[in-house]
Amino acid sequence: MKCRKCTNRAAINMRQHKLALCPEHFIEWVQQQTERFIKKYRMFTRDDRVLVAVSGGKDSLALWDILLALGYQADGLYIGLGIDGGIDYSAESHRCVQKFVEERGDGLTLHVVDVEVLYGASIPEAARSVARGRGKPCSVCGLTKRHIMNRVARDEGYDVLATGHNLDDEAATLFGNTLQWAVGYLRRQGPVLPASAQGLARKVKPLFRFYEREMAAYALLRGIEYIYDECPYAAGATSIRHKELLNELEISSPGAKLQFYLHFLQAREQYGIFQPQDSTVELHTCPTCGQPTTNPEQCSFCRTWERVREQMTKRPTAKATNP
Ligand code: Q46
Ligand code: ZN
Ligand code: ZN
């Protein structure tokens, strides 16, 4: 198959767009499309300082690469979670991020926050001590990552926080939330989440219209080394099953995923349903960390980590092991 724009062989065929492109034109297309989405959804401008949350995976590193190629002021934030999982997950993901930074030379800023160094326990240890070994550490992990991202964005004066969520992630989340009619979550879903209170960073997802395979192809063609493995705790997650279901649908109806997500955004705009702003929620300032919270007292992050520290001091030798 030939590239739509030149006579070279196509590297990727995107059935949903009826578009096949060679490596050079595919890279150009991804970057131009990202620029278009950033403008269309008013995510940020070249005057804004953007903090990109990089996990070491293909999407976040591709996002950072694209923003740099487009000339945006983009710095990175890597959060070390202390997850091993038999594959050195955190160490390996950190290595990929570090390699990305080194390859691009001086002038790139990467903030690194190591959860264990800063708060005294890795994510699996923290989860074990508060949940007594039951369940996955994902809720503690999500809570901690959100807190750190927000804190770094606020303390370092960034205008916006960008994450590498792609269409497959967003469509699967939307699918899960719709199955549950989880109105609260549906209100909070979208490519742009405005800063809802003083001290809460504005969040954007510039890759939300790209399929996962497009991002994998982009990372590969740009020579970005990324961690292939998912976090070991992601196995068995409902969102993975939802992704599989949507992929099955996509095979028989190319573009189904994209339409599902775009029609949700359109319905929100046209009919005013699931509007992101919920003015009925009153926010307070956490007396410990100063971040906005719906709790009248301490925020859930501070309460959780206080409990973790209590448990860790009670059982100083009970150092939890990773899965
Ligand atoms: S929440 Fe759970 Fe992820 Fe944290 S513990 Fe791993 S799977 S990384 S997005
Ligand atoms: Zn071409
Ligand atoms: Zn707090």
Side-chain angles (χ1 to χ4, degrees), residues 147 286-291 293 298-303:
H147 176 91
C286 171
T288 309
C289 69
Q291 288 204 18
T293 169
Q298 258 187 337
C299 72
S300 357
F301 170 85
C302 291
R303 276 184 295 143

Side-chain angles (χ1 to χ4, degrees), residues 36-322:
R36 194 167 76 81
F37 303 149
I38 290 169
K39 288 203 171 116
K40 181 177 161 89
Y41 297 94
R42 297 195 184 93
M43 294 186 178
F44 44 83
T45 68
R46 281 185 175 71
D47 293 331
D48 290 322
R49 290 181 66 225
V50 186
L51 181 64
V52 185
V54 283
S55 65
K58 62 182 182 321
D59 304 294
S60 53
L61 287 178
L63 173 61
W64 199 6
D65 178 83
I66 296 166
L67 295 185
L68 292 171
L70 291 171
Y72 285 100
Q73 304 181 55
D75 295 343
L77 165 64
Y78 173 78
I79 303 174
L81 304 169
I83 295 174
D84 182 333
I87 52 168
D88 255 358
Y89 176 72
S90 286
E92 185 55 17
S93 54
H94 191 188
R95 190 189 62 77
C96 291
V97 174
Q98 209 55 55
K99 187 160 189 272
F100 180 95
V101 173
E102 278 157 22
E103 279 175 358
R104 274 148 189 83
D106 294 343
L108 221 57
T109 301
L110 172 69
H111 303 272
V112 178
V113 177
D114 188 301
V115 171
E116 188 169 3
V117 171
L118 199 61
Y119 302 112
S122 68
I123 290 295
E125 284 169 351
R128 277 165 203 258
S129 56
V130 285
R132 295 195 180 82
R134 278 174 282 120
K136 291 185 176 198
C138 294
S139 58
V140 175
C141 183
L143 183 73
T144 306
K145 284 195 290 191
R146 280 194 299 277
H147 176 91
I148 294 172
M149 289 192 283
N150 203 54
R151 182 177 60 73
V152 176
R154 182 192 64 182
D155 292 356
E156 302 291 332
Y158 286 95
D159 298 291
V160 66
L161 174 72
T163 56
H165 293 89
N166 59 43
L167 178 70
D168 292 51
D169 301 322
E170 290 304 283
T173 306
L174 177 62
F175 188 61
N177 288 339
T178 309
L179 284 179
Q180 307 271 340
W181 287 117
V183 176
Y185 287 119
L186 286 165
R187 278 174 180 239
R188 267 175 271 153
Q189 183 158 13
V192 178
L193 279 186
S196 52
Q198 196 66 31
L200 212 53
R202 173 180 161 78
K203 297 189 186 77
V204 295
K205 299 169 183 171
L207 304 183
F208 83 102
R209 287 180 61 156
F210 290 110
Y211 281 64
E212 186 166 341
R213 68 184 281 266
E214 293 164 4
M215 280 303 109
Y218 181 87
L220 194 80
L221 294 171
R222 289 284 288 162
I224 297 171
E225 195 179 326
Y226 62 89
I227 181 158
Y228 292 92
D229 294 298
E230 292 259 15
C231 168
Y233 293 108
T238 328
S239 59
I240 293 185
R241 180 67 193 124
H242 290 159
K243 278 188 182 177
E244 287 166 1
L245 285 168
L246 290 168
N247 283 342
E248 281 173 34
L249 192 63
E250 186 75 24
I251 291 170
S252 51
S253 314
K257 254 186 269 189
L258 186 58
Q259 290 313 313
F260 175 53
Y261 194 77
L262 291 184
H263 285 156
F264 161 70
L265 295 183
Q266 208 175 39
R268 175 185 275 171
E269 210 163 280
Q270 279 180 0
Y271 307 114
I273 54 169
F274 307 131
Q275 286 292 318
Q277 288 289 16
D278 187 356
S279 52
T280 57
V281 176
E282 199 189 334
L283 289 168
H284 311 267
T285 301
C286 171
T288 309
C289 69
Q291 288 204 18
T293 169
T294 48
N295 293 329
E297 290 168 12
Q298 258 187 337
C299 72
S300 357
F301 170 85
C302 291
R303 276 184 295 143
T304 303
W305 279 91
E306 246 175 41
R307 269 169 55 216
V308 171
R309 279 188 289 271
E310 270 169 34
Q311 295 298 323
M312 300 286 286
T313 20
K314 273 188 207 156
R315 297 177 294 129
T317 50
K319 188 127 173 119
T321 49
N322 277 322

